[in-house]
Amino acid sequence: MDATRERTQAAARKPVDRPAAEPALPPTLRRNAPLVPTDSAASRSLAAVIAILTFLAGLCAGAAEIVASSAGQWQGTVAQEVTIQVRPAPGRDLDADIARADAIAKAEPGIAATRVFSKMEAERLLEPWLGSGLDLSDLPVPRLITLKLGDQTPDLKHLRAGLTEAMPGVASLDDHALWLQRLSTAANTFVGIGVGIVALVLVATGLAVAFATRGAMAGNREVVEVLHFVGADDDFIARAFQRRFFGLGLRGGIIGSAAALAAFALAGLLARNWRSGPAGDEVEALFGAFHIGWRGYASVMAIGVIASLVTAVISRLTVRRFLA
């Protein structure tokens, strides 16, 4: 029993022969660089192209959002008012006709308030077309009455019929429906053009990525052949290219989106500085305060993400076609 224990302990103390470590590969056979290098001049150029295209697409999307929101505000403001036009007629008292039209409008349910334009105010409205300094006293300049609509929707057909019956050929009602329709058409056209430009920019991004991917495949042809030789399939190679180009697209998309948001922030700051002058008032009346809102910010950031996804998908499809 003691002899058996001693043999066991002696065997445990005996050094075990281990296989020798495999020799390290020579430096010429090592590959420390990734399959698709991202720090090359071509990769940096592609990231810059994606950033520029994303910046342009973000500007188009933000501008379309500004126009859409401004058009909505214009339509909301104009839709809250209608206008009565009272024309001078021979043998009629213009002031009496204006007072009668104003009384008919105030008697209509749904009309919150009325405002009669004076003769001087009516003539001032013609200055953008006729210029200032003209004597319009001899011209039959119509007089205007603006009606502000209340919460209750008025019956404009009934009001128009009442004006026509009381003062035929003298008073008429304009609900601005034609102008609102044209404004809506123009705003929708501009938004459609912006969406089309964004789509074209994304197509251009895809084409640039396709050419860059084919160039990277041609430059790494020997590496791809070695990977095929050791058993790597096309999916493995395509995933490697997809990861690398997705990183490039994400970098360019983030830079382009951030630059577009910074441009809108700078435009808003300049608009606030210009607001004290007449030019600033006109710019603010047309485009607001250059504030794109949460939808604009979301659309600009979404374009950056979409650009990176397009980069990944196009690179994978290009690799699959190259290997086919």
Side-chain angles (χ1 to χ4, degrees):
M1 190 69 177
D2 295 337
T4 302
R5 185 180 299 108
E6 290 177 359
R7 287 194 297 271
T8 303
Q9 293 175 355
R13 289 193 298 270
K14 184 178 180 180
V16 179
D17 296 334
R18 302 181 183 275
E22 295 181 358
L25 292 175
T28 56
L29 297 180
R30 297 178 185 174
R31 180 178 176 84
N32 297 324
L35 178 60
V36 186
T38 57
D39 294 330
S40 62
S43 300
R44 290 191 293 269
S45 299
L46 178 61
V49 170
I50 295 174
I52 293 172
L53 294 176
T54 305
F55 172 73
L56 296 177
L59 290 183
C60 292
E65 174 60 26
I66 289 177
V67 171
S69 60
S70 299
Q73 294 176 0
W74 297 339
Q75 291 175 356
T77 302
V78 175
Q80 293 298 317
E81 290 185 350
V82 295
T83 304
I84 296 177
Q85 184 180 109
V86 181
R87 291 175 291 275
R92 297 185 65 94
D93 187 356
L94 179 59
D95 293 332
D97 290 337
I98 293 173
R100 188 174 182 183
D102 184 57
I104 293 174
K106 289 180 177 179
E108 185 70 26
I111 302 299
T114 63
R115 178 176 179 270
V116 178
F117 279 67
S118 64
K119 186 176 185 297
M120 184 179 298
E121 290 175 332
E123 293 176 354
R124 192 178 298 121
L125 293 176
L126 299 176
E127 288 183 359
W129 289 269
L130 302 180
S132 59
L134 296 178
D135 186 10
L136 303 178
S137 57
D138 296 333
L139 295 179
V141 179
R143 300 282 293 277
L144 301 178
I145 305 174
T146 58
L147 312 180
K148 186 177 181 180
L149 307 183
D151 297 333
Q152 179 184 355
T153 304
D155 188 356
L156 297 182
K157 292 182 179 180
H158 182 267
L159 177 58
R160 183 179 287 108
L163 292 172
T164 303
E165 182 181 357
M167 292 170 288
V170 174
S172 61
L173 180 68
D174 184 9
D175 57 359
H176 313 301
L178 180 60
W179 191 87
L180 288 174
Q181 182 181 1
R182 292 178 178 177
L183 176 62
S184 177
T185 302
N188 293 335
T189 301
F190 190 90
V191 172
I193 292 174
V195 173
I197 293 176
V198 171
L200 290 177
V201 168
L202 293 178
V203 171
T205 303
L207 293 176
V209 172
F211 283 113
T213 304
R214 293 186 68 87
M217 290 290 296
N220 293 271
R221 183 183 295 273
E222 294 82 2
V223 177
V224 173
E225 292 178 354
V226 171
L227 290 175
H228 277 152
F229 180 76
V230 298
D233 57 1
D234 293 344
D235 286 337
F236 175 82
I237 300 174
R239 284 196 300 270
F241 278 85
Q242 182 179 4
R243 285 193 297 269
R244 294 297 179 180
F245 280 97
F246 177 75
L248 290 174
L250 188 61
R251 184 196 311 173
I254 291 175
I255 294 174
S257 298
L261 295 177
F264 283 114
L266 179 61
L269 180 62
L270 294 177
R272 285 193 295 270
N273 293 333
W274 291 339
R275 193 175 301 174
S276 57
D281 295 337
E282 295 179 0
V283 171
E284 185 178 2
L286 289 175
F287 303 106
F290 280 95
H291 181 63
I292 59 177
W294 68 269
R295 290 190 305 179
Y297 288 108
S299 61
V300 173
M301 291 186 291
I303 288 174
V305 176
I306 293 173
S308 60
L309 294 178
V310 168
T311 303
V313 172
I314 295 298
S315 63
R316 184 178 182 87
L317 294 178
T318 304
V319 171
R320 298 289 296 186
R321 288 193 61 182
F322 189 88
L323 296 176

